[in-house]
Amino acid sequence: MLSRVGQIMLYVQNQDEAKSFWTEKLGFAVISEENSDQGFRWIEIAPHRDAETSIILHNKEFVAKMSPGLNLETPSLMFFTDNLDQLHQDLSNKNITVGEIINMPTGRVFNFADNEENYFAVMEKR
């Protein structure tokens, strides 16, 4: 079962400028910042370190290449789950469009689509 909204993914043209805006102008804290060897950069920010929901600043161009069908004009929702494999199977069994499970720096994740082809992500955090 989905347990809560964990992160909002915001697709930006310039991650450094976006990070500066959120942290310097709005006072958000950087929760984590990671780079993968595949060129994927992850910047997690939140109003404060103990916030339940955070924002991930993603490079729009990189994500567009990685997931060509994704609507990058609006933020995506990332849900958290304690059992990614079971949820992936359950959604598949319900004939819901689901993507492959992918290992990310902070955990395993997959996407699923609603009836209007809006995509959402689900993560099992490490």
Side-chain angles (χ1 to χ4, degrees), residues 4 12 20 37 42 46 66 85 91 100 105-106 116-118:
R4 65 185 170 102
V12 298
S20 293
D37 20 349
W42 172 282
M66 199 168 88
D85 296 304
L91 296 180
E100 292 180 45
T106 55
E116 294 183 8
E117 296 187 359
N118 294 306

Side-chain angles (χ1 to χ4, degrees), residues 11-13 38-40 58-72 102 111:
Y11 306 106
V12 298
Q13 299 292 340
Q38 295 127 353
F40 184 79
H58 285 294
N59 179 296
K60 188 183 277 192
E61 184 179 333
F62 183 87
V63 174
K65 289 177 187 171
M66 199 168 88
S67 300
L70 215 54
N71 176 359
L72 302 178
I102 299 170
N111 290 329

Side-chain angles (χ1 to χ4, degrees), residues 105-124:
T106 55
R108 297 182 318 136
V109 65
F110 72 88
N111 290 329
F112 68 95
D114 68 7
N115 60 312
E116 294 183 8
E117 296 187 359
N118 294 306
Y119 281 80
F120 306 96
V122 178
M123 177 180 280
E124 183 180 64

